Amino acid sequence: MRLNNREIVVKKFGGTSVGSIERIEAVADRLIADYHKGEFPITVASAMSGETNRLVSLGNQIDPKYRGPAYDMLVASGEQVSIALLAIAIEKRGFKAKPLLSYQIGIETDNLYSKARILNINPDKINKLVSENIFPVIAGFQGIDTENNITTLGRGGSDTSAVAIAAGMQLKSCEIFTDVPKVFSADPRLVPKARELDKISFEEMMEMASLGSKVLHIRSVEIGAKHNVRIHVRSSFESRTGTWIVPEGEIMENPLVTSVTHDPSTVVIKLNPVPAGAEFLAELFTELSNKGVSIDIITQSQHEQGQRLAFSVTEEDLPLANKVLDQILKGKSLERTTMDKMAKVSVVGVGMRNHPGVAARFFKVLAENKIPVHLVTTSEIKISAVIDQEHLKRSAQALHTVFDLDRV
Ligand code: ADP
Ligand code: ASP
Ligand code: MG
């Protein structure tokens, strides 16, 4: 979309990209350079790196199980600081800028605190600022519910703010600036031989995000796919092209496996015995999902006393999951075990759809490396296993090699 003869581009800068005053000044320089190239930037910023963790830990010191408006108000405050600093840096360079919190532009969400979903974005205010040549600098991660409470979108949620704003403005793409130059075939911090990907499909990126890859927030990819907003993940330190997330049909060749993805901190909860039948399971998983806890692996087996149940949640969701379990299991006598220090390692690729044998190779690698597997799940385009954290690096690197992903 063009306005005042300029291409409007939503640009999101993550925590490291605004992690210091020097970085914030560099972002301001980049925005102005883009302006001189004929773009008009709409900026979305995260909190300075480490800040949201600090805020979360302050809240946890008082009550780790608390979730509600006060928690969201607390953790959303980091973005207020970074957008204000960025707006000052832009104005110092002779341009007009306006820092904006979600209530000022109407980023409406539901009231599922700490995991809210965006319902609506009104583009009028942003368009008006652009038409007046004022740079909007918008706080990522936050929204506002119908009662004017501040809500937050879940950790990493600024990506979702940016893509939703691009969708709300009917733009065809959105730029996500981060601390890596591309999406890689594995997290380069874990697998140094990871290869750069130029393009990846929405479907694969969604699986990667849901399996723990931090590079994009899953909702951002879902919104991009639904509203046809292509996502360009690129470095905030370099100017070269990054990775484009595009519809599957636009990728000519699909390797069997595109990436090895991991979640470094998964928790497995085991309950034994729970009442037989599907009723208890329905009650438990409905309550967990109502609280926004996403469960991704469930195993169940029947025995004389009832059934044995195991499921995995992310470490971030553990306090919420425990709260739900405390309520539902009140008065029931059963064994409840929480296995922490677990990790999840997965392989993802749309190429798996048409090629059998990936599961066999996956488990062979784990067996050869003597890595015990605690839970397993598969879909059309992924296989994942929960393993002990201590084996994560070794298994991710071995899988990366076996599926021919190592950089040559
Ligand atoms: P930001 O603060 O910019 O949102 P994040 O830390 O949320 O950045 O996401 C970027 C990080 O994602 C990288 O530093 C990298 O360690 C991690 N990551 C995980 N998987 C991948 C992958 N497949 N490709 C690139 N980065 C990945
Ligand atoms: N600042 C938030 C977080 O650390 C949102 C984000 O970085 O995307 O989770
Ligand atoms: Mg992020």
Side-chain angles (χ1 to χ4, degrees), residues 28 58-59 81 84 107 112 121 157 163 217 229 238 278 290 294 341 376 404:
L58 289 177
V81 173
I107 300 182
L112 197 58
I121 291 184
V163 179
H217 192 235
V229 179
E238 302 172 32
N290 286 346
S294 42
K341 301 214 168 27
V376 172
D404 291 331

Side-chain angles (χ1 to χ4, degrees), residues 120-124 127 162-171 223 227 229:
N120 189 38
I121 291 184
N122 180 353
D124 297 350
N127 282 329
V163 179
I165 290 167
M169 298 184 70
Q170 299 186 324
L171 303 180
I223 295 172
H227 297 273
V229 179

Side-chain angles (χ1 to χ4, degrees), residues 253-375:
E253 256 183 86
N254 289 311
L256 194 59
V257 165
T258 322
S259 76
V260 173
T261 298
H262 76 283
D263 179 345
S265 44
T266 298
V267 180
V268 176
I269 298 175
K270 289 186 167 172
L271 304 175
N272 184 38
V274 298
E279 247 162 59
F280 173 81
L281 302 183
E283 184 194 349
L284 172 66
F285 291 117
T286 306
E287 208 34 50
L288 286 167
S289 108
N290 286 346
K291 292 281 182 313
V293 177
S294 42
I295 308 290
D296 105 295
I297 307 188
I298 304 173
T299 62
Q300 171 271 7
S301 61
Q302 207 73 36
H303 60 100
E304 285 110 59
Q305 289 84 34
Q307 47 188 341
R308 199 174 280 126
L309 184 68
F311 57 92
S312 70
V313 297
T314 60
E315 198 168 59
E316 187 197 344
D317 281 351
L318 185 62
L320 270 177
N322 276 334
K323 202 170 168 178
V324 170
L325 287 169
D326 290 348
Q327 256 167 27
I328 290 192
L329 301 179
K330 208 186 262 163
K332 290 197 171 63
S333 103
L334 53 73
E335 203 182 310
R336 172 169 160 191
T337 329
T338 304
M339 294 163 69
D340 55 5
K341 301 214 168 27
M342 298 278 123
K344 194 166 48 188
V345 67
S346 316
V347 295
V348 177
V350 289
M352 270 185 228
R353 278 202 191 113
N354 309 319
H355 297 274
V358 176
R361 274 163 85 183
F362 181 89
F363 291 114
K364 198 161 167 238
V365 171
L366 298 183
E368 280 170 1
N369 285 278
K370 303 206 168 14
I371 293 168
V373 175
H374 299 288
L375 292 180

Side-chain angles (χ1 to χ4, degrees), residues 12 14-15 178-180 182-184 186-187 189 208 213-215:
K12 178 256 169 177
T178 184
D179 57 4
V180 278
K182 300 258 185 184
V183 175
F184 285 79
D187 186 339
R189 290 176 209 233
M208 286 170 68
S213 165
K214 246 178 76 175
V215 67

Side-chain angles (χ1 to χ4, degrees), residues 46-47 52 79 141 155-158:
S46 296
T52 313
E79 273 71 13
F141 185 47
R155 297 303 308 272
S158 298

Side-chain angles (χ1 to χ4, degrees), residues 96-108:
K96 284 200 171 140
K98 182 151 173 101
L100 296 157
L101 296 171
S102 53
Y103 78 89
Q104 292 172 287
I105 45 171
I107 300 182
E108 293 166 19

